Amino acid sequence: MIKKNIFSAIQPTGNLTIGHYIGVLKIWIKKQYKYNCFFCIADLHSWISIKNKKKIKNYIYSLLSIMLSIGINPKKCNIFLQSDIIEHIKLYWLLNCYTYVGELNRMTQFKNKIKNKNFKINCGLLNYPILMSSDILLYNTNYVPIGYDQIQHIELTKIIANRINKLYNKNIFTIPNYIISKYGSKIMSLCNPNKKMSKSDINKNNVIYLLDKFNDIKYKIINSLTDSQFPSKILYDKIKKPGISNLLVIFSNIKNISINKLEKKFLNISYKNFKNIFINELNNFLYNIQKKYFYFIKKKKLLKKILLKGKLKVKKIAKKNINYIYNCIGIIK
Ligand code: TRP
């Protein structure tokens, strides 16, 4: 049986959070053996917000080292750098011509980002979902693992792909579907569990980074917001107990124990005790990742080799696919 294709990407724009791990990377780990996976480091996306090549380079190697540390196997999947495959841009331009400004203006992420009007909005920020669509549609992608905040961008990708297929009366593009983690697609902030955990949060105490140090983790968890139920109950209830629910989701995902089982085990213990157990588990989990991370991050030659191997393999596929697409549309006569 032919393996179906998975495409997913992360922008190298900073330190990854536990939210990235639970929401997206865990799906990558699980799917890499059964699917034909394209895991992309989306460095072209980074230029929207960062204009410093050294910074982006460091983030690229850091992201790749994290991927290896958590168990993404470069022998099983295609790991590559977006900027190595210029075909993404060839498709990007084309898709620009089939997408409406109104569709981009409606994107929630865009609307949220421009709320802070203190900066000039570059076109990249508006057009960013089209670059994402290009990433996905270039590889006949069947499934796209994403976090909750990206659903709208996948829906737009489907609309663009269907629009072009219909116009030319031909299935030029495979229509992708997203995969989302059942509980973990949206990990919340520690001090404000009604808000999504974001790597760029100004309050670092809201965020658990995969590379956080032991003492920082301890401080952040102890100070995370719970609720005032008395006597305290360790129960999953997103509305009434968002803080505890968020910790339960994280706990469940790093230990691979169901939330149900955790509730039974910890129901009547105090929040303080629960937090202490949680801190311990989280530290063990992060320690294992960080040990490997600090090994890989020093192996620049190995990291470069992995990206080169990915580039060579993916380039061939991308070239063939873009030629097919350009042919269908009529750009290549
Ligand atoms: N925009 C995604 C994010 O910020 C990253 C990304 C870029 C992506 N291209 C993609 C995700 C294609 C899925 C598919 O998380």
Side-chain angles (χ1 to χ4, degrees):
M1 214 176 76
I2 302 175
K3 281 186 185 175
K4 292 208 166 175
N5 292 339
I6 283 188
F7 183 97
S8 192
I10 294 182
Q11 293 186 45
T13 44
N15 293 324
L16 295 193
T17 71
I18 195 80
H20 288 108
Y21 174 79
I22 294 173
V24 180
L25 292 170
K26 249 191 115 175
I27 307 180
W28 293 16
I29 300 168
K30 205 168 144 202
K31 302 287 182 193
Q32 63 181 330
Y33 297 103
K34 276 203 192 140
Y35 291 83
N36 189 24
C37 291
F38 294 86
F39 294 143
C40 174
I41 298 177
D43 61 326
L44 292 172
H45 276 97
S46 303
W47 290 91
I48 296 168
S49 56
I50 304 174
K51 304 286 186 278
N52 179 322
K53 70 174 180 188
K54 215 171 152 191
K55 249 189 185 170
I56 294 184
K57 209 170 172 182
N58 286 338
Y59 287 145
I60 290 170
Y61 288 128
S62 178
L63 174 55
L64 179 57
S65 301
I66 293 264
M67 283 160 70
L68 300 172
S69 307
I70 58 159
I72 302 293
N73 183 346
K75 292 204 174 86
K76 293 288 167 206
C77 47
N78 302 297
I79 299 176
F80 67 103
L81 195 57
Q82 190 185 27
S83 62
D84 273 340
I85 312 292
I86 204 66
E87 285 73 12
H88 288 238
I89 301 304
K90 283 192 170 181
L91 184 54
Y92 169 72
W93 176 251
L94 192 74
L95 299 188
N96 260 283
C97 302
Y98 294 83
T99 309
Y100 304 122
V101 176
E103 289 173 320
L104 297 173
N105 268 325
R106 273 199 293 279
M107 292 293 116
T108 308
Q109 199 178 54
F110 176 70
K111 285 197 286 194
N112 286 339
K113 284 203 170 152
I114 62 167
K115 262 187 202 152
N116 170 12
K117 289 238 170 58
N118 290 330
F119 63 92
K120 286 186 179 162
I121 301 152
N122 69 57
C123 297
L125 188 63
L126 178 70
N127 289 339
Y128 144 118
I130 309 183
L131 184 54
M132 212 172 134
S133 301
S134 313
D135 298 340
I136 297 165
L137 296 177
L138 185 58
Y139 298 100
N140 291 313
T141 301
N142 301 101
Y143 300 108
V144 191
I146 44 154
Y148 187 83
D149 59 333
Q150 299 295 326
I151 293 180
Q152 212 184 16
H153 297 153
I154 307 299
E155 296 300 348
L156 178 65
T157 303
K158 287 189 197 177
I159 291 172
I160 301 171
N162 275 318
R163 179 176 296 150
I164 299 177
N165 284 352
K166 217 169 143 195
L167 192 64
Y168 296 95
N169 199 15
K170 193 173 180 162
N171 287 332
I172 303 174
F173 296 114
T174 303
I175 308 299
N177 273 310
Y178 58 80
I179 304 178
I180 205 155
S181 155
K182 193 172 167 208
Y183 283 107
S185 65
K186 199 172 178 187
I187 300 297
M188 311 308 274
S189 292
L190 296 176
C191 309
N192 180 2
N194 290 312
K195 196 183 88 183
K196 183 181 163 264
M197 185 185 284
S198 157
K199 70 178 164 194
S200 50
D201 199 316
I202 2 169
N203 180 3
K204 297 299 170 217
N205 293 329
N206 267 331
V207 191
I208 301 170
Y209 293 100
L210 293 178
L211 298 177
D212 263 347
K213 295 196 179 77
F214 177 81
N215 280 336
D216 292 337
I217 291 289
K218 195 170 164 191
Y219 180 85
K220 289 178 185 184
I221 303 302
I222 286 176
N223 289 296
S224 69
L225 191 72
T226 51
D227 56 73
S228 53
Q229 187 175 19
F230 187 81
S232 60
K233 290 264 180 261
I234 308 295
L235 277 176
Y236 182 88
D237 182 335
K238 254 185 126 168
I239 310 291
K240 289 197 194 124
K241 302 167 71 67
I244 285 295
S245 301
N246 193 38
L247 296 185
L248 277 169
V249 169
I250 300 173
F251 200 135
S252 153
N253 269 287
I254 59 175
K255 286 296 285 176
N256 291 319
I257 304 173
S258 72
I259 290 180
N260 225 309
K261 274 197 184 143
L262 290 175
E263 287 173 332
K264 281 196 185 118
K265 198 166 166 194
F266 297 125
L267 183 63
N268 288 316
I269 70 170
S270 69
Y271 291 161
K272 187 171 165 232
N273 283 344
F274 177 66
K275 280 182 172 178
N276 281 333
I277 298 169
F278 179 79
I279 290 168
N280 226 346
E281 293 297 350
L282 187 57
N283 269 318
N284 284 341
F285 172 78
L286 294 181
Y287 174 78
N288 282 326
I289 293 178
Q290 291 179 11
K291 201 172 61 183
K292 292 179 194 147
Y293 174 85
F294 289 111
Y295 168 83
F296 284 120
I297 195 71
K298 290 192 203 106
K299 305 250 174 231
K300 285 278 148 44
K301 255 193 192 158
L302 172 72
L303 298 177
K304 281 185 184 164
K305 213 168 118 187
I306 290 171
L307 290 180
L308 179 64
K309 199 182 130 218
K311 171 185 171 176
L312 295 176
K313 252 177 91 186
V314 171
K315 184 86 187 168
K316 277 188 206 146
I317 302 166
K319 236 174 160 172
K320 188 173 137 245
N321 291 352
I322 195 73
N323 278 340
Y324 172 75
I325 297 163
Y326 267 39
N327 245 310
C328 290
I329 306 280
I331 299 179
I332 300 172
K333 285 169 278 300

